[in-house]
Structure formats: structure tokens, C-alpha cells
């Protein structure tokens, strides 16, 4: 590594259980769970408190916070990495079974923005009443400026972007429902339109009945959930081949713990601190963050290492190419979160933000590989929880239900859950009426 790196804070890229990570001095970051230390202490404390009180999974909540911050920054800030500009656009897909607790952390994360939309709608109603009562009938109608869209047409999205220069967040509890709505109102083009949104390219919409729309720097963030069993539906209709699927960052936690009721709620001071962060990010003035020579070298060292590691695998090469884009986007977002938290602003990117962005993309790499392994798998066990997968592996090829009570208890599979599991014909064959079973494969 050249002298510009040795003069800067030294960053080392090593591995954690064979998985890449970044270490800085004595920093040790686990890749299998979201590295919450990338956030300021105030945000870390919120995540800890939310898990301890209402049981929000830290990975789900952290992803939601990232998305909300990216939306709040919007088109106000871009980062120039020496070659091209990078917008704070994130497409996040939160994977979990129904009942795993995906929705509430995401709704909590976007709540400060939802409150802003609510106040905006109240003003809009008031302005509409004044407009209705006005004698100047040629005045333009007031516009409702929204930041979050859930149920909308492509034309409404374009109109919203025209009036809201900051950009929008597309939020859906179930992302597949949004994806399946593509081309609902007009045949062809929706998927391609979103691919262009990902890059922040200018959009131009010509309309017969209304005036044309042009938005120079559209900022469209996407956040939502999806069950593992419908991932293959997401990849259908050429979405795996045209790069649509690869543009998503996946959050797919392993070994989820049951959410236990505590009778507590998130400390109001934590929420107020977070809400202020989001509001302050919305108030960010237009600027371009610039990189230093040392940061260019940090990125080049990481990128060179990873490209060589992935070169002989088509899937890993695809994932790497998108993560190279996301490193800069995440560095921008983390930098603005940090600057806003300490109320000290600069047009320079810090080494710390880039290093944390690299830590973060390695977490997302692990999740992406897990998702793609799920997509390519033909193993029927992949549709079941890890407890049931382990139970199946430990069961003998032929067994009597009554003889395996301890094994069922060990994996927490009993009662109706056990009965439904044993009734899965792709996994078991019931030999007789005396509780004897045979596995369909080993």
C-alpha cells in the first residue's frame, strides 16, 4: 500500500471465519449480524433500547434507520469519488417469515418522516380550503408534498418527484405486492423505469392530458419486507437477469430469537433524539462531498482484493459490482449522519465513514449470498425454519414418533407444529397408523 495510506489512519482488510471484514486498530466486527457500531452512540442506544423493551430485531431496525436517513438526505447531498457522483439511494429488502417481526421496526424507523407527511397533509387541506374560497380561480391548486409512497401509479410517482425535489421513499410491508403491480396501468416499462431510478438518472414523462414532467436528480429509496418462500417470485420475469434483483441490499438474519412481551416501551428520549436527527437531515443544504487521496487508496485496496476473489464466480462478480456502487452511497449516508449528530459540517468525507461503509457492504455481501443460495436451492427443507431443518437432519431415516420425543423437545417442535411438519409429504412418508415414519431423503 502506498505512502498516502500509511500517513492516514491505517485500515486493514482481513477475514472473519473466512468472511471479509475491515478492522481498524483493535476494532473487531462480526459480519453475520448488522454492525451497529457504524452509527453514532445516540442511534446505537436507540437500537439497544428498542430490542430490550419492545423486542425489535436490531438488524431490521438498523436497516430501517439507514433507509430513513437516506430518504431524509435525499437529493441535497452527493458524493464525488474522483470519477463520478454518488446519490444516497438505497434499495433495502428485509427478509423474514410472517411473524418474525419485520414490519414494526421498519414502521418505527420511518415514523418521523410519516409525521412530517401528516403535518404536510394538514397544511394541504387548509390551503385547498383557501383555494376553494378564493375569488382568483386561475390560481394554481396547492400540492400535497409527500415523502413516503405506498400505493401509487408510476405517473403519481413522477408527479410527486416533480414537486418534492428531495425525493421519496417507496415503502411496502410486502415488496412482492409492489413488484407484481408493475405494468398494471400501462403495458411494459415499469421495471426499466425503476432501473433508471436506481442510478438517479433524469426522468422525462410526456403526457397527453397534462403538461410534461422532468426531474433532473430523482432520489427514490425503497424499503420493504419479503418472506423467504417468495424470493423466487421476486427473481422471476427476468428480474434476476436484468440486474433488478442485484440492486437490492438484503437483510436476512439467522437464528432469530422469539419476540417476548415485556410490557415496556421505547424510551421517549431515544425516539426524540432520533426524530431530531431525521428532521435535521431533511434540513441539509445542497452540497457535494469530496474524497481525499487516502480514501481513494483505501477503496482501491478493498476493490482490488474483492474483484480478484470474485473473478472466477459469475454470481460473486455480480454482487461485487453492485457493492462497489453501494460503498460510496453508504459512506455518504454515514458521513451525513455523523456530521448532523455532532452538528459540525464539512464538504469532506472522513476515512471513518468509508471504512464503516466497507464493513457494512461485507455484511450485505453475506446476506446477498444467502439469498441467492436460497434462490438456486431445490432442497424442500429450505422452506422451513432452522430448528426444523436441524430436527430433520438428526432424525434417523426410519423412526417412530413416540421414540423421538426428546429430540422434538430439543428443537422446540411440538404439538400442532410437529404434526404439520410430519405431514409434509415432500419430507416424510407415514408408514402405518402406529406412528412410524420414513424420511424421503437423508
Amino acid at each position: 500500500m502506498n505512502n498516502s495510506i500509511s500517513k492516514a489512519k491505517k485500515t486493514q482488510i482481513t477475514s472473519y471465519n473466512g468472511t471479509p471484514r475491515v478492522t481498524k486498530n483493535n476494532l473487531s466486527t462480526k459480519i453475520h449480524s448488522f454492525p451497529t457500531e457504524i452509527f453514532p452512540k445516540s442511534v446505537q442506544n436507540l437500537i439497544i433500547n428498542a430490542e430490550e423493551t419492545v423486542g425489535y430485531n436490531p438488524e431490521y431496525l438498523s436497516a430501517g434507520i439507514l433507509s430513513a436517513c437516506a430518504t431524509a438526505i435525499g437529493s441535497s447531498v452527493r458524493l464525488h469519488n474522483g470519477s463520478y457522483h454518488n446519490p444516497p439511494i438505497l434499495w433495502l429488502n428485509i427478509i423474514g417469515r410472517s411473524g418474525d417481526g419485520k414490519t414494526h421496526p421498519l414502521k418505527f424507523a420511518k415514523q418521523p418522516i410519516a409525521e412530517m407527511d401528516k403535518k404536510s397533509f394538514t397544511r394541504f387541506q387548509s390551503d385547498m380550503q383557501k383555494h376553494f374560497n378564493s375569488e382568483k380561480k386561475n390560481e394554481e391548486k396547492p400540492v400535497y408534498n409527500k415523502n413516503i409512497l405506498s400505493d401509487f401509479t408510476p405517473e403519481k410517482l413522477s408527479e410527486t418527484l416533480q414537486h418534492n425535489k428531495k425525493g421519496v421513499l417507496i415503502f411496502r410491508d410486502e415488496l412482492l405486492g409492489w413488484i407484481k403491480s408493475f405494468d398494471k396501468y400501462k403495458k411494459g416499462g415499469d421495471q426499466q423505469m425503476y432501473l433508471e431510478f436506481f442510478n438517479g438518472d433524469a426522468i422525462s414523462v410526456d403526457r397527453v392530458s397534462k403538461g410534461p414532467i422532468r426531474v433532473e436528480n430523482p432520489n427514490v429509496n425503497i424499503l420493504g419486507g419479503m418472506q423467504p418462500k417468495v424470493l423466487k417470485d421476486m427473481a422471476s420475469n427476468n428480474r434476476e437477469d436484468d440486474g433488478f434483483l442485484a440492486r437490492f441490499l438484503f437483510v436476512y438474519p439467522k437464528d432469530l430469537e422469539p419476540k417476548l412481551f415485556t410490557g415496556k416501551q421505547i424510551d421517549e428520549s431515544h425516539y426524540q433524539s432520533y426524530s431530531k436527527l431525521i428532521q435535521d437531515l431533511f434540513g441539509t443544504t445542497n452540497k457535494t462531498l469530496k474524497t481525499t487521496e487516502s480514501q481513494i487508496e483505501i477503496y482501491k485496496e478493498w476493490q482490488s482484493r474483492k474483484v480478484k476473489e470474485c473473478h472466477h464466480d459469475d454470481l460473486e462478480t455480480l454482487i461485487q459490482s453492485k457493492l462497489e456502487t453501494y460503498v460510496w452511497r453508504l459512506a455518504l449516508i454515514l458521513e451525513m449522519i455523523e456530521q448532523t449528530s455532532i452538528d459540525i459540517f464539512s464538504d469532506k468525507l472522513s476515512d471513518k465513514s468509508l471504512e464503516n461503509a466497507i464493513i457494512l457492504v461485507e455484511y450485505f455481501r453475506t446476506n446477498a449470498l444467502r439469498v441467492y443460495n436460497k434462490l438456486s436451492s431445490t432442497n424442500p427443507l429450505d422452506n422451513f425454519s432452522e430448528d426444523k431443518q436441524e430436527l430433520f437432519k438428526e432424525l434417523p431415516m426410519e423412526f417412530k414418533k413416540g421414540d423421538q420425543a426428546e429430540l422434538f423437545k430439543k428443537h422446540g417442535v411440538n404439538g400442532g407444529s410437529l404434526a404439520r411438519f410430519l405431514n409434509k409429504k415432500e419430507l416424510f412418508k407415514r408408514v402405518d397408523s402406529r406412528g412410524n415414519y420414513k424420511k424421503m431423503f437423508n
Side-chain angles (χ1 to χ4, degrees):
M1 195 174 292
N2 67 22
N3 291 334
S4 62
I5 285 291
S6 60
K7 290 177 183 177
K9 295 174 185 174
K10 205 159 189 178
T11 300
Q12 225 180 359
I13 299 179
T14 58
S15 63
Y16 173 82
N17 290 344
T19 306
R21 70 172 179 183
V22 173
T23 60
K24 178 182 170 186
N25 299 330
N26 293 324
L27 178 66
S28 179
T29 302
K30 292 182 180 179
I31 294 299
H32 66 266
S33 60
F34 196 102
T36 55
E37 68 273 13
I38 63 165
F39 290 124
K41 276 293 181 184
S42 60
V43 178
Q44 293 183 46
N45 291 338
L46 166 64
I47 295 167
I48 292 169
N49 185 250
E51 182 181 25
E52 292 176 345
T53 55
V54 291
Y56 288 169
N57 178 276
E59 299 193 52
Y60 292 154
L61 180 55
S62 297
I65 289 171
L66 263 184
S67 180
C69 290
T71 302
I73 297 165
S75 58
S76 297
V77 184
R78 291 199 163 202
L79 181 149
H80 193 265
N81 62 6
S83 296
Y84 51 86
H85 286 87
N86 300 268
I89 296 174
L90 303 181
W91 289 12
L92 283 157
N93 191 345
I94 315 303
I95 310 298
R97 298 173 304 164
S98 179
D100 274 347
K102 304 185 298 295
T103 301
H104 291 300
L106 301 187
K107 285 189 174 180
F108 177 87
K110 72 177 182 66
Q111 186 59 31
I113 306 177
E115 290 173 359
M116 293 173 66
D117 279 359
K118 183 179 178 180
K119 291 177 181 177
S120 178
F121 185 69
T122 300
R123 288 193 299 270
F124 166 72
Q125 287 181 309
S126 176
D127 291 343
M128 280 297 292
Q129 188 62 45
K130 292 175 183 177
H131 176 79
F132 181 77
N133 294 332
S134 174
E135 294 180 359
K136 299 176 182 179
K137 299 302 180 184
N138 59 342
E139 286 183 343
E140 286 190 16
K141 285 186 176 181
V143 174
Y144 173 32
N145 250 338
K146 294 185 71 173
N147 296 295
I148 301 175
L149 296 177
S150 293
D151 189 11
F152 58 92
T153 65
E155 183 173 334
K156 179 55 69 175
L157 172 58
S158 300
E159 288 179 4
T160 303
L161 289 169
Q162 184 181 36
H163 297 297
N164 187 347
K165 303 303 181 185
K166 268 277 190 178
V168 299
L169 170 65
I170 294 174
F171 176 81
R172 291 290 292 262
D173 280 344
E174 293 293 339
L175 275 177
L176 188 62
W178 165 67
I179 292 170
K180 285 188 172 182
S181 74
F182 289 1
D183 304 333
K184 180 179 178 181
Y185 300 96
K186 182 181 177 182
K187 191 65 177 174
D190 284 5
Q191 197 159 300
Q192 183 59 41
M193 176 188 71
Y194 284 109
L195 292 176
E196 293 171 5
F197 278 138
F198 179 82
N199 297 320
D201 295 338
I203 61 166
S204 180
V205 181
D206 296 315
R207 302 179 299 176
V208 176
S209 58
K210 301 178 183 178
I213 293 174
R214 184 172 178 85
V215 182
E216 290 301 325
N217 298 303
N219 208 86
V220 179
N221 280 277
I222 300 171
L223 174 67
M226 188 170 288
Q227 295 184 43
K229 64 183 179 182
V230 302
L231 278 169
K232 290 185 179 180
D233 290 332
M234 183 186 181
S236 63
N237 197 29
N238 200 42
R239 285 185 284 269
E240 188 172 1
D241 297 327
D242 70 2
F244 182 85
L245 184 68
R247 283 166 168 77
F248 277 88
L249 295 173
F250 294 98
V251 176
Y252 193 179
K254 296 184 70 174
D255 304 320
L256 282 173
E257 296 292 331
K259 178 181 173 182
L260 304 178
F261 179 73
T262 65
K264 300 177 182 179
Q265 59 184 7
I266 295 171
D267 191 308
E268 182 64 19
S269 65
H270 290 311
Y271 176 73
Q272 291 302 328
S273 174
Y274 170 62
S275 181
K276 183 179 184 302
L277 170 65
I278 296 298
Q279 292 171 29
D280 289 347
L281 285 171
F282 263 100
T284 304
T285 55
N286 292 348
K287 67 178 179 181
T288 298
L289 293 178
K290 300 179 181 66
T291 52
T292 64
E293 184 60 32
S294 69
Q295 290 154 16
I296 297 300
E297 293 303 322
I298 289 171
Y299 176 83
K300 284 169 62 178
E301 198 278 341
W302 169 81
Q303 191 262 354
S304 174
R305 181 189 297 265
K306 297 312 302 179
V307 165
K308 291 173 183 174
E309 288 179 9
C310 300
H311 181 66
H312 298 292
D313 186 282
D314 291 345
L315 173 59
E316 292 190 27
T317 296
L318 172 66
I319 293 171
Q320 171 64 19
S321 68
K322 293 299 176 283
L323 292 181
E324 288 175 15
T325 297
Y326 270 122
V327 163
W328 297 112
R329 296 184 180 194
L330 291 165
L332 182 164
I333 295 163
L334 296 177
E335 180 66 29
M336 290 311 303
I337 292 174
E338 179 65 22
Q339 289 189 18
T340 304
S341 295
I342 62 176
D343 200 26
I344 298 176
F345 296 92
S346 166
D347 63 354
K348 292 287 193 294
L349 179 71
S350 67
D351 286 2
K352 177 184 175 183
S353 293
L354 180 58
E355 291 160 359
N356 283 339
I358 292 174
I359 290 173
L360 201 43
V361 296
E362 295 305 339
Y363 162 82
F364 285 122
R365 186 193 306 277
T366 302
N367 284 266
L369 288 169
R370 189 171 179 221
V371 165
Y372 278 96
N373 286 339
K374 179 86 174 174
L375 289 172
S376 62
S377 174
T378 57
N379 186 347
L381 271 177
D382 285 343
N383 293 321
F384 296 90
S385 68
E386 291 176 10
D387 280 335
K388 287 178 178 157
Q389 290 181 32
E390 289 301 317
L391 169 59
F392 183 88
K393 292 173 185 176
E394 292 185 34
L395 282 168
M397 196 64 189
E398 296 185 25
F399 62 94
K400 188 167 186 174
K401 179 180 175 181
D403 295 340
Q404 303 299 325
E406 285 301 314
L407 189 59
F408 299 147
K409 182 179 179 181
K410 170 186 170 184
H411 291 283
V413 181
N414 46 48
S417 176
L418 175 59
R420 288 188 293 275
F421 186 55
L422 293 176
N423 282 335
K424 297 296 180 182
K425 294 182 179 179
E426 66 270 30
L427 302 181
F428 303 101
K429 179 181 179 181
R430 187 171 181 177
V431 178
D432 55 37
S433 60
R434 296 187 294 276
N436 288 302
Y437 290 83
K438 182 177 180 179
K439 295 200 299 186
M440 300 302 292
F441 55 92
N442 211 347

